[in-house]
């Protein structure tokens, strides 16, 4: 029925099956939209956030998707600036995932603020001292860049490409993509970093506070580095999931292994820096404010020492080692394990930097504040996942996202 | 602009709260709510969603009966100066909705500018900032008591203690009309200071040797909350009890209480 | 023109780009932001001309001066009156909330008549004419049928003139059953009569005291005139005056005290007597005063020597003998020491043994009517009104005994609401056919609420004059709403515990917000409607004329000045007040054993291992005035969580009962049971559990109704054998996990 739109040389499932899939994910999306509307019309009392927990699930989701979306800028950086040409086989997908992650982040932010209709004040009345201002500017600009990177992909649809204007537009945009990739890498460096700075500059919160370089706390650099390290893992993970759902091999192993290797080395260097940072913070920064590190992991079982171990050892050291070792990254199972651990690891890191920071009392007579999200928060956090899934479904079906797909899956009939 | 300002005397309004005198009755909290049009809900028992610019904390020495001791600690916004006016909250606000006034030392909050990102709340270790999770609702007829000098806040913005800044403005206006050049100590007092039945709160210009706070802040038993974080707050406390002074900050087990 | 796809696409993109580049989206974005800054449902207070009106607060017997800030005709803030001698600019939590009472949703907007079953909350608005006509007809019918004694009034009014008017109403109508609600002030007053033969309000010159020993008086929890007490405490702290608090719970007073003596509740008298023993046996007492102004010292000395040595008292009180001795020496050796009692805020008078033991201590150190001591104050009096001439019907009615059994208590005007309720419930003597309730909420404030309800259910006609839909008003047959204190004029004589005679005139600050009439006006109208001697006894035009008649020349000056205080007042010298009758260490005609016998709590220790005590806090108004929203807002979440009341218990006791913080539990006493939640607190003696007064209302509004439990419903009523006053201070209880 929609065969005219499907790229040449590849096969897609029946249109009915596709629609059914869309309907199922669409239902989840609608649930999220309903929760989103509740939050907009009734206000943030729909959430379980409170005055101690001003930042919660959403801000974590935001930080996490942006870190995971880091695959886009870093792959672009590697392909266009470093010259790793093999990556052109996965760059489309990296861009798409990045686009989804960043648009999701913006959507979540639009729900998260108390006065969404005034959220543009962040640009209009910008405070240059605020990390959030830096985030907002870089995030918006980078989202623009991602959109520009995403457009030629859309234009490559079989029918659109028939229009000569669009055909040439797409061609010309590809020609200058290196410029955008460079811009994107530059912008990402700052906004990933400033997201790290968001928590790191809180000198009233000894758990999050870090000293640093010039105006930036160490978390600034750690966040950029970790996004570059862990983002590609997420690209690989989503590729792997797409492959298993479609039942097709979509990207050649050498591409995957290259990206995994780079990611592994990045992760390895990052985790060394992170360990040094943690030791310095635990032995110098925190005690200078009167805190023992054990105080940060006390009082309740949820924020126990396990979370630090899970983040650094299982979410950092182990996946990095697996991916650095050729035997590890060449073994599909070990590689998958490493990728999954890495994605969890970076998510824990962002969780800790947001939620544990809020949970720990600073005044000695204050109490730990634990929180669990309301269904509205969960639904609105799931909303981007559903939206992303739908976008991937549509793009995969109608756009030539995986250049190697036709070669890897020759048509039988 | 800068030159013009430097001719004026820079004020640094602050408070000294004597915890030995405070009985924890809560008058400061109610006076503040009545003065500043703070709303209320049928259920205010979730203290993490209850707007109280001034909140009285109850500290205990952690000992068991009958060695137990308690101390009440009123906590308004600390109006941190940080270093050069970079208080924890002011420096993070992305929309310049909160500001450190270098002429008065007061940390302001512009409700109509704030778009509710709550970053300032995350930054404040004193929990002095409150978010309007709900639309403020006054039962029919009760809006009559609202103070026209303070605008009620809409849902979705952050609010906090302003040191009754509107009273400062009124005092300046009065001084101008009366031909005074400077406002005097008694001209500008916050609602909580005025109401405190125990006289535990003293308010004034910390820079002015003629104001009571100037001397009181130098009391041997004076301290501030979380001084070691570098927030540089303008609310001082006095307590004759060592355990209370120690509770004001965090100390490693082997560290001694100190300034 | 044929529009093909290409053309359509171009047009669409062109239009989109055109709109995006036009000012429209920017204007819209800006307008939306402006709209969010001016949401119509967020009120904008009107500006206007500001002015300040002074008045006297009557929300409690404290008698503080208030300054009400007004914008046009709106009252926007209540502040303490700077020049008022009692509160000197300070103001308490409740006083600050006054405007929430004035403008609050719990006001009764106009006269109401019940249409469904009692207490079902279904009312019909009626006119004042109809309301007064119906009440007049009812009262007239009862009087005509020869049973005027079966009409009763229960009043908590703070106005002395209104009080006198109610008495006069009873006199002219012919009922002895005019019931007031006594407090510690009445118990102190009675102790003066019994021990010194005098007639005076007891006050304390705390500002000049050198040492303060409090037997459970919540000096910083709302006792006396609260703001004055806070200021006195500040003075003590700054001048090094020691405050000792004797109480089983670490109340705010205990927390601020220099020494907290935790004591087995109910044994405070034993501690006081043992201290007296030490003072006497070590000859630490003021010999001059004792010799020249007292009597019965020898008998008292023998009594305490036999029964209240520190060792014996240590067993009763849980305070060790050395501490008792130390305390006695410290007290006797201090300059100007004051002993004071009256549990919590002192709204319940309590048993006489405590008051007499306290006065014994004050007498031993000779600190009666001395600077910095306990003063016997004679307040300014009202001008006499013409005598009532009761007719035959009234005389017949007045010949009946009071239902509460209070009699022969001249010079005291004593009434015993607890015993009144018991008599009505049991139906003994004669029935009550109509009850007028003024400025009080007996269905809530009296102990043993179930019994009060039973009594009230037997009264066929209950009229409430309440300004608010309180628990009693909700159970009434008619409500004839009184204006609130900010809308009416009333006299306020004396301030609880304040040593200087004061008189204040509470002023209307705003015009009446509801269709209300002053209860004094209504009484005059009722009397006029009843005719004859009644009308003659109430010849005034209205209550204001009545006030003028009782205040005389002072009326006009008070309207301007709001208050008058006699700061030069000196209490009579000991030899003057005791010239004819000396201070008796053991009240005349009463055995020492009887006089100093403590009241034991109700319930057996076997079935009820714990002791339940009610406590008072500044953050809960527990009398006729229900807690305003701001006060409920500042209640700690360790007292109220959602709708649940938290019961304070020592962790040790809780552990023994298998209970932990936040657990739901059932508390049971001989009088009833209720569901609560557990709050562990190290500041309470093991074996004791405590619940605050002021929660558990069934009426009022969404900001108060249904929150927590009414502790009065769990505590039974115990009458003091000497005074008949309510003396229950607690009750045995048990807790089980729910």
């Amino acid at each position: 029925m929609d065969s005219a739109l499907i790229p040449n040389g590849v096969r897609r499932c029946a249109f009915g099956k596709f629609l059914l899939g869309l309907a199922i994910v669409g239902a989840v999306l609608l649930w999220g939209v309903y929760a989103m509307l509740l939050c907009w019309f009734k206000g943030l009392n729909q959430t379980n956030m409170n005055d101690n927990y001003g930042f919660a699930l959403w801000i974590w989701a935001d930080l996490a998707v942006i870190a995971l979306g880091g695959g886009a800028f870093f792959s672009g950086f590697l392909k266009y600036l470093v010259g790793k040409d093999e990556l052109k086989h996965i760059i489309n997908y990296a861009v798409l995932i990045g686009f989804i992650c960043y648009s999701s982040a913006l959507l979540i932010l639009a729900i998260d603020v108390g006065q969404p209709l005034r959220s543009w004040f962040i640009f209009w009345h910008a405070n240059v001292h605020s990390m959030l201002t830096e985030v907002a500017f870089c995030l918006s600009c980078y989202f623009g860049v991602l959109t520009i990177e995403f457009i030629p992909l859309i234009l490559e649809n079989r029918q659109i490409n028939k229009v000569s204007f669009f055909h040439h537009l797409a061609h010309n945009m590809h020609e200058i993509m290196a410029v955008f990739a460079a811009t994107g890498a530059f912008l990402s460096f700052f906004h990933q970093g400033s997201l790290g700075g968001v928590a790191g500059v809180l000198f009233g919160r000894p758990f999050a506070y870090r000293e640093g370089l010039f105006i930036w706390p160490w978390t600034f650099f750690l966040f950029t580095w970790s996004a570059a390290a862990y983002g590609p893992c997420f690209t690989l993970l989503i590729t792997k999931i797409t492959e298993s759902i479609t039942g097709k091999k979509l990207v050649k192993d050498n591409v995957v292994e290259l990206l995994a290797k780079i990611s592994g080395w990045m992760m390895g260097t990052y985790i060394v820096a992170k360990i040094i940072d943690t030791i310095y913070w635990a032995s110098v920064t925190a005690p200078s404010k009167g805190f023992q590190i054990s105080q940060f992991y006390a009082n309740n079982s949820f924020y126990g020492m396990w979370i630090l171990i899970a983040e650094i050892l299982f979410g950092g050291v182990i996946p990095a080692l697996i991916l650095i070792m050729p035997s590890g990254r060449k073994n599909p199972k070990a590689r998958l394990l490493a990728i999954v651990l890495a994605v969890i690891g970076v998510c824990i890191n962002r969780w800790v930097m947001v939620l544990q920071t809020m949970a720990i009392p600073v005044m000695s007579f204050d109490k730990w504040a634990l929180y669990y999200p309301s269904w509205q928060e969960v639904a609105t956090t799931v909303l981007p996942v559903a939206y992303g899934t739908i976008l991937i479904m549509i793009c995969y079906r109608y756009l030539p996202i995986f250049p190697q797909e036709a070669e890897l899956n020759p048509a039988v009939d | 602009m800068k030159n013009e300002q430097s001719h004026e005397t820079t004020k640094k309004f602050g408070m000294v709260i004597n915890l030995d005198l405070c009985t924890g009755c809560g008058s400061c909290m109610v006076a503040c709510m009545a003065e500043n049009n703070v709303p209320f809900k049928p259920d205010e028992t979730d203290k993490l969603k209850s707007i109280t610019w001034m909140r009285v904390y109850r500290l205990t020495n952690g000992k068991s009966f009958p060695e137990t001791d308690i101390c009440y600690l009123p906590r308004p916004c600390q109006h941190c100066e940080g270093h050069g006016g970079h208080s924890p909250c002011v420096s993070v606000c992305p929309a310049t909705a909160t500001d450190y006034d270098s002429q008065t030392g007061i940390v302001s909050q512009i409700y109509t500018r704030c778009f509710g990102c709550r970053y300032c709340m995350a930054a404040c270790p004193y929990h002095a900032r409150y978010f309007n999770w709900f639309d403020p609702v006054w039962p029919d007829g009760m809006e009559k008591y609202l103070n026209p000098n303070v605008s009620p806040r809409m849902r979705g913005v952050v609010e906090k203690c302003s040191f009754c800044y509107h009273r400062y403005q009124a005092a300046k206006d009065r001084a101008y009309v009366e031909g005074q050049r400077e406002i005097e100590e008694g001209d500008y007092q916050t609602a909580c200071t005025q109401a405190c039945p125990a006289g535990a709160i003293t308010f004034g210009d910390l820079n002015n040797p003629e104001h009571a706070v100037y001397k009181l802040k130098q009391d041997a038993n004076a301290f501030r909350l979380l001084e070691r974080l570098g927030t540089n707050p303008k609310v001082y406390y006095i307590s004759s009890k060592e355990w209370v002074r120690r509770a004001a900050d965090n100390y490693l087990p082997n560290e001694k209480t100190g300034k | 023109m044929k529009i093909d796809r290409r053309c359509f696409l171009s047009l669409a993109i062109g239009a989109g780009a055109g709109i995006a580049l036009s000012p429209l989206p920017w204007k819209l974005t800006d307008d939306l932001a402006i709209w969010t800054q001016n949401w119509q449902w967020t009120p904008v207070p009107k500006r206007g001309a500001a002015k300040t009106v002074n008045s006297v607060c009557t929300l409690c017997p404290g008698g503080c001066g208030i300054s009400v800030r007004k914008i046009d005709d709106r009252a926007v803030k209540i502040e303490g009156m700077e020049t008022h001698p009692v509160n000197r600019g300070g103001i308490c939590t409740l006083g600050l909330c006054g405007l929430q009472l004035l403008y609050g949703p719990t006001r009764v907007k106009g006269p109401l008549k019940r249409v469904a079953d009692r207490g079902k909350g279904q009312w019909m608005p009626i006119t004042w004419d109809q309301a007064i006509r119906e009440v007049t007809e009812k009262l007239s019918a009862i009087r005509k049928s020869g049973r005027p004694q079966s009409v009763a009034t229960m009043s908590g009014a703070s106005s002395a003139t209104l009080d006198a008017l109610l008495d006069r109403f009873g006199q002219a109508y012919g009922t002895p059953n005019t019931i007031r609600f006594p407090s510690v002030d009445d118990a102190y007053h009675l102790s003066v009569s019994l021990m010194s033969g005098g007639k005076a309000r007891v006050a304390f010159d705390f500002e000049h005291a050198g040492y303060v020993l409090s037997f459970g008086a919540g000096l910083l929890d709302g006792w006396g005139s609260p703001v004055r007490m806070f200021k006195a405490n500040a003075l003590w702290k700054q001048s090094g005056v020691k405050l000792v608090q004797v109480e089983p719970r670490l109340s705010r007073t205990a927390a601020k005290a220099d020494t907290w003596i935790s004591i087995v509740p109910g044994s405070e008298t034993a501690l006081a007597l043992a201290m007296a023993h030490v003072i006497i046996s070590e000859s630490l007492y003021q010999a001059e005063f004792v010799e020249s102004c007292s009597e019965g010292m020898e008998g008292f000395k023998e009594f305490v020597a036999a029964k209240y040595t520190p060792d014996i008292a240590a067993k009763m009180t849980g305070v060790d003998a050395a501490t008792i001795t130390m305390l006695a020496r410290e007290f006797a050796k201090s300059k100007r020491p004051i002993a004071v009692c009256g549990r919590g805020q002192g709204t319940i008078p309590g048993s006489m043994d405590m008051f007499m033991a306290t006065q014994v201590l004050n007498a031993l150190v000779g600190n009666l009517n001395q600077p910095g001591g306990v003063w016997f104050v004679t307040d300014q009096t009202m001008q006499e009104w013409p005598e009532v001439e009761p007719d035959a019907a009234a005389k017949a009615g007045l010949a009946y005994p009071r239902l509460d059994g209070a009699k022969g208590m001249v010079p005291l005007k004593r009434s015993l609401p607890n015993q009144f309720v018991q008599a009505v419930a049991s139906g003994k003597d004669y029935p009550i056919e109509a009850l007028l309730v003024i400025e009080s909420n007996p269905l809530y404030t009296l102990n043993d609420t179930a019994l009060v309800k039973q009594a009230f259910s037997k009264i066929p006609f209950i009229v409430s004059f309440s300004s608010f839909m309180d628990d009693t008003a909700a159970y009434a047959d008619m409500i004839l709403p009184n204006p609130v204190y900010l809308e009416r004029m009333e006299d306020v004589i004396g301030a609880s515990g304040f040593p200087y005679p004061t008189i204040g005139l509470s002023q209307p600050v705003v015009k009446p917000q509801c269709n209300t009439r002053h209860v004094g006006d209504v009484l005059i109208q009722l009397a006029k409607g009843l005719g004859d001697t009644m009308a003659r006894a109430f010849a005034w035009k209205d209550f204001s004329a009545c006030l003028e008649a009782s205040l005389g020349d002072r009326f006009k000056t008070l309207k301007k000045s709001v208050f008058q205080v006699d700061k030069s007042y000196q209490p009579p010298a000991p030899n003057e007040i005791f010239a004819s009758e000396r201070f008796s260490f053991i009240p005349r005609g009463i055995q020492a054993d009887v006089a100093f016998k403590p009241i034991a709590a109700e319930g057996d220790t076997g079935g009820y291992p714990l002791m339940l005590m009610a406590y008072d806090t500044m953050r809960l108004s527990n009398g006729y005035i229900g807690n305003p929203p701001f006060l409920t807002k500042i209640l700690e979440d360790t007292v109220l969580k959602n709708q649940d009341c938290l019961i304070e218990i020592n962790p040790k006791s809780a552990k023994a009962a298998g209970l932990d913080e936040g657990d739901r539990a059932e508390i049971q006493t001989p009088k009833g049971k209720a569901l609560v939640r557990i709050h562990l607190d190290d500041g309470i003696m093991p074996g004791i559990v405590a619940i605050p007064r002021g929660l558990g209302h069934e009426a009022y509004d969404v900001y108060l109704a249904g929150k927590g439990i009414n502790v009065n419903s769990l505590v039974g009523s115990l009458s003091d054998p000497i005074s008949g006053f309510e003396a229950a201070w607690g009750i045995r209880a048990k807790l089980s996990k729910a």
Side-chain angles (χ1 to χ4, degrees), chain B residues 138-215:
Chain B
W138 283 271
D140 198 25
M142 235 199 240
E143 72 285 343
K144 279 188 191 165
Y145 76 59
L146 293 179
N147 180 358
N149 298 341
V150 180
S151 50
R153 283 70 62 186
M154 64 290 291
R155 181 233 291 164
V157 302
V158 171
E159 62 180 71
K160 66 162 200 77
C161 155
S162 65
F163 267 174
C164 289
Y165 191 73
H166 59 283
R167 288 187 171 212
Y168 176 62
Q169 289 171 316
K172 274 205 306 187
D173 289 350
R174 263 199 317 274
Y176 179 78
V177 169
E178 289 163 14
Q180 279 175 262
R181 290 183 60 85
E182 280 289 329
I183 64 160
E184 283 167 20
E185 191 175 14
D187 293 344
Y188 168 38
Q189 290 291 313
T190 63
C192 53
T193 309
Q194 184 192 19
C196 178
I201 309 176
T202 314
F203 181 80
D205 181 1
L206 296 167
N207 277 351
N208 189 336
E210 286 167 21
H211 284 204
V213 288
Y214 185 85
K215 274 200 196 70

Side-chain angles (χ1 to χ4, degrees), chain B residues 24 42 45 47 51 112 144, chain C residues 37 74 252 633 642 707:
Chain B
T45 60
K47 298 303 174 191
I51 302 176
T112 48
K144 279 188 191 165
Chain C
Q37 294 165 337
R74 306 188 289 123
R252 286 177 211 271
K633 177 167 175 169
N642 300 119
K707 290 182 190 292

Side-chain angles (χ1 to χ4, degrees), chain A residues 115 118 125 130 198 205 364 366, chain B residues 92 96 114 119 122 127 247:
Chain A
Q115 287 283 355
R118 288 188 219 159
H125 301 287
S130 175
V198 163
R205 300 277 190 176
S364 73
D366 209 356
Chain B
V92 301
T96 333
C114 171
Y119 192 12
H127 300 306

Side-chain angles (χ1 to χ4, degrees), chain C residues 347-650:
Chain C
T347 43
I348 289 177
S351 56
M352 290 311 296
D353 60 298
M354 191 63 248
F355 290 85
M356 298 200 277
T358 303
Q359 291 297 55
V360 161
L361 285 179
N362 287 319
L364 280 175
V365 293
N367 204 10
L368 296 176
N369 287 333
Q370 300 289 322
V374 180
W375 289 16
F376 300 165
V377 181
T378 318
D379 278 307
Q380 296 188 36
T381 48
M382 301 189 331
Q383 296 194 2
E384 292 289 321
W385 294 335
E387 280 284 313
V388 177
E389 292 159 20
D391 59 8
K395 278 180 185 150
L398 288 168
Y400 279 84
R402 284 170 67 97
L403 266 192
D404 65 1
K407 58 183 176 197
M409 279 300 164
V410 181
L412 266 178
K413 207 167 63 172
R414 204 166 50 112
S415 63
L416 309 167
N418 46 327
Q419 299 205 2
F420 172 76
V421 163
Q422 282 160 18
V424 175
S426 68
K428 73 169 194 187
D429 294 340
Y430 52 88
I432 290 295
E433 292 173 56
L435 174 69
L436 312 182
V437 183
I438 297 109
E439 297 272 298
S440 58
N441 187 8
L443 256 181
Y444 176 82
T445 56
L446 291 178
N447 281 355
D448 199 353
T449 317
L451 185 78
V452 185
K453 195 141 199 173
Q454 196 194 325
F456 277 35
S457 70
K458 291 191 170 176
I459 303 174
F461 188 60
I462 299 175
V463 182
S464 167
F465 290 87
S466 181
S467 313
F468 313 104
M469 189 55 85
D470 59 51
D471 310 73
T472 309
Y475 193 71
D477 299 287
M478 282 179 95
I479 308 178
L480 275 57
N482 202 16
V484 300
Y485 73 117
L486 297 167
E487 302 165 321
R488 67 188 191 215
M489 188 181 292
E490 267 176 17
D491 54 337
V492 186
I493 292 181
S496 182
F498 190 64
Y500 302 98
T502 62
I503 182 161
L505 193 64
S506 194
Q507 317 262 356
V509 170
V510 289
K511 62 175 194 292
Q513 301 294 308
C514 305
N515 183 15
T516 50
R517 274 190 202 177
H518 194 284
V519 57
D521 290 335
V522 177
L523 280 178
I524 291 170
Q525 282 162 353
L526 288 175
K528 291 200 160 118
L530 288 164
D532 298 333
T533 51
M534 288 290 289
R536 278 199 293 281
F538 288 78
W540 301 284
K541 182 165 71 63
D542 54 15
F543 183 66
S544 178
C546 190
L547 271 176
E548 196 165 356
S550 58
L551 292 172
D553 296 342
R554 291 169 295 184
F555 185 65
K556 279 208 176 69
T557 48
L558 277 172
K559 268 174 121 176
K560 285 204 189 79
S561 65
V562 173
F563 70 90
Q564 284 176 2
V565 62
D566 181 7
K567 268 288 203 183
S568 63
Y569 178 80
Q570 295 284 331
N575 58 0
E576 281 174 39
I577 196 162
F578 302 121
S580 51
E581 269 184 279
R582 299 174 152 237
F583 178 87
S584 315
F585 278 96
I586 301 169
R588 287 180 191 172
I590 304 177
Q591 291 287 315
D593 262 341
V594 179
F596 298 108
K597 188 180 167 42
I599 306 279
E602 188 180 352
D604 61 293
T605 44
Y608 299 100
L610 298 166
M611 176 75 78
L612 169 68
M613 290 185 76
Y615 71 89
D616 296 333
T617 156
M618 285 303 290
R619 297 185 185 188
L620 269 176
S621 170
N622 55 39
Y624 159 63
I625 300 294
N627 226 38
F630 276 156
L631 266 197
T632 309
K633 177 167 175 169
I634 65 164
L635 259 189
E636 300 92 332
D637 57 359
T638 53
V639 174
L640 181 72
K641 188 73 194 167
N642 300 119
Q643 302 293 89
D644 295 332
C645 183
L646 284 98
I647 187 165
E648 215 173 88
I649 184 170
N650 189 287

